Amino acid sequence: MQTFFSEEHRKHFPQAELSGGQFVTPYERPSRVEYILRRLNERGFDTPIAPQTPDMTVLRGLCDPGYLEFLETCWDEWVAEGMAGEIIAGNFPARRMQISRPPRNIDGKVGYYSLASETAITAGTWEAALSSMASAQAAQRAVAAGARAAFALCRPPGHHATADMYGGYCFINNAAIVAQMFRDQGAGRVAVLDIDFHHGNGTQDIFYGRGDVFFASLHGAPEDAFPYYLGYADETGAGDGEGANVNYPMAPGTPYAPWAEALEDALARIRAYGAEALVVSLGVDAYKDDPISFFKLDSPDFMDAGRRIAKLGLPTVFCMEGGYAIEAVGINTVNVLEGFNGA
């Protein structure tokens, strides 16, 4: 399985994240990638390939133009306003406020386009996000050309990004980009399987009213886990998308056995749906020692999960998402890929 990866990700390295009432080094940081690359090398995977220039066509088709303009220009506006630090949202449009009129002031724009304040923007964030998308696009092209599977080592991740909001460390929804590319190239139906601990709210939001992309997410119950306000089991799609969205919210302390049952149900639904291609939002923060999650999966469980996913027999693109137990993120990520390869 070929890996696609860009060194441009290093341009995004915020120095602060608001967590637990204090500023800490972000959990989502460049060193996560180093552990994954090291493990890929140790396990004999091919040397990662750098992607080509990102293709903006699909991105522009999926996302709000104002949001994309914001991401591209916000740093310059922030600096021009005399702001000294990184871009962090300090306000949000709340209930009964106007949500259809983006503010003109950059401080207001940041809150308007943000869904959470833990995610900072720096001078290089936009370039890093585009390079992450380019890796996902390169992986999709490889699979569309005949590869059984490919791994996009995306950083920053993407599954929390909606068509018009960033947050949860995500700016561009790479999994959604890949799914749309499969559709544009002729796949009648595509499935996105999100095994990250956190609900893939952005992916759900993008495809919720569509029946051509099936979305399934295994995650911490929204009553207890970020992003809190989406991911309930009764969210099943709307309009043409009714029945094409399935959520598996699970309680704190969930071990592998019930998690695997949810995975099997999701895979059965994807099979019944008739998907012609599969996109996996590959987060490994369901790991027992992850600092911002509460499931209890162990490293061998990720190997088994990869084997189960492979049984679908679909052309598959893996897009890297979360996983913040730094010492184990490489082992757990590569375990999924090895399980898939060996099935």
Side-chain angles (χ1 to χ4, degrees):
M1 184 188 306
Q2 183 63 60
T3 298
F4 295 88
F5 161 73
S6 172
E7 289 286 352
E8 294 287 292
H9 81 94
R10 299 182 190 281
K11 293 183 177 181
H12 174 68
F13 186 13
Q15 299 303 295
E17 172 183 337
L18 184 59
S19 176
Q22 59 184 341
F23 284 106
V24 301
T25 301
Y27 293 103
E28 201 295 292
R29 51 186 183 264
S31 58
R32 296 175 62 241
V33 166
E34 300 308 317
Y35 283 91
I36 298 170
L37 289 172
R38 186 181 310 159
R39 185 64 174 177
L40 287 167
N41 182 61
E42 290 171 353
R43 300 301 294 170
F45 280 70
D46 291 340
T47 301
I49 296 175
Q52 300 171 354
T53 303
D55 181 349
M56 303 294 287
T57 306
V58 178
L59 179 65
R60 293 191 181 106
L62 282 179
C63 290
D64 173 70
Y67 173 59
L68 296 181
E69 181 182 9
F70 164 79
L71 288 178
E72 186 173 7
T73 63
C74 63
W75 181 257
D76 289 340
E77 287 190 53
W78 185 258
V79 172
E81 194 70 19
M83 306 294 192
E86 297 171 343
I87 300 177
I88 298 176
N91 51 81
F92 302 92
R95 287 182 289 276
R96 293 175 296 283
M97 289 184 176
Q98 290 278 0
I99 60 171
S100 60
R101 303 180 185 181
R104 187 162 43 238
N105 181 274
I106 185 58
D107 187 44
K109 282 185 186 178
V110 172
Y112 183 83
Y113 288 114
S114 173
L115 59 84
S117 59
E118 85 295 289
T119 302
I121 293 176
T122 70
T125 295
W126 175 236
E127 292 175 81
L130 288 179
S131 77
S132 182
M133 180 183 73
S135 295
Q137 291 178 320
Q140 191 278 336
R141 292 189 194 102
V143 172
R148 176 188 179 213
F151 174 41
L153 181 44
C154 297
R155 183 184 176 272
H159 72 148
H160 292 306
T162 73
D164 58 1
M165 289 185 290
Y166 73 93
Y169 314 132
C170 303
F171 304 93
I172 295 172
N173 196 310
N174 301 306
I177 293 289
V178 171
Q180 188 61 51
M181 289 176 70
F182 276 123
R183 284 286 294 115
D184 291 346
Q185 293 166 14
R189 290 187 165 193
V190 179
V192 180
L193 172 65
D194 193 323
I195 62 171
D196 189 281
F197 167 82
H198 301 93
H199 179 245
N201 63 287
T203 315
Q204 172 173 307
D205 185 66
I206 289 170
F207 295 120
Y208 201 66
R210 291 173 51 174
D212 58 336
V213 177
F214 184 92
F215 176 67
S217 177
L218 285 64
H219 52 269
E223 296 94 336
D224 302 302
F226 180 91
Y228 298 113
Y229 312 110
L230 211 62
Y232 290 91
D234 60 1
E235 297 161 9
T236 57
D240 292 342
E242 178 60 48
N245 193 94
V246 58
N247 287 320
Y248 299 88
M250 288 171 269
T254 294
Y256 185 60
W259 189 93
E261 289 179 9
L263 176 61
E264 283 296 331
D265 190 78
L267 296 173
R269 289 174 183 252
I270 290 170
R271 191 176 293 110
Y273 172 74
E276 298 169 31
L278 177 67
V279 186
V280 179
S281 276
L282 177 52
V284 292
D285 41 1
Y287 181 58
K288 63 182 182 179
D289 294 327
D290 196 276
I292 55 174
S293 308
F294 55 59
F295 288 169
K296 298 300 178 183
L297 275 63
D298 207 346
S299 293
D301 298 330
F302 291 101
M303 183 83 74
D304 185 63
R307 286 192 289 263
R308 292 171 187 261
I309 293 168
K311 290 178 182 178
L312 281 177
L314 293 174
T316 302
V317 174
F318 292 91
C319 292
M320 191 66 206
E321 303 286 2
Y324 310 102
I326 298 295
E327 298 291 336
V329 68
I331 294 171
N332 295 336
T333 300
V334 177
N335 275 4
V336 175
L337 304 180
E338 287 196 300
F340 183 95
N341 279 345

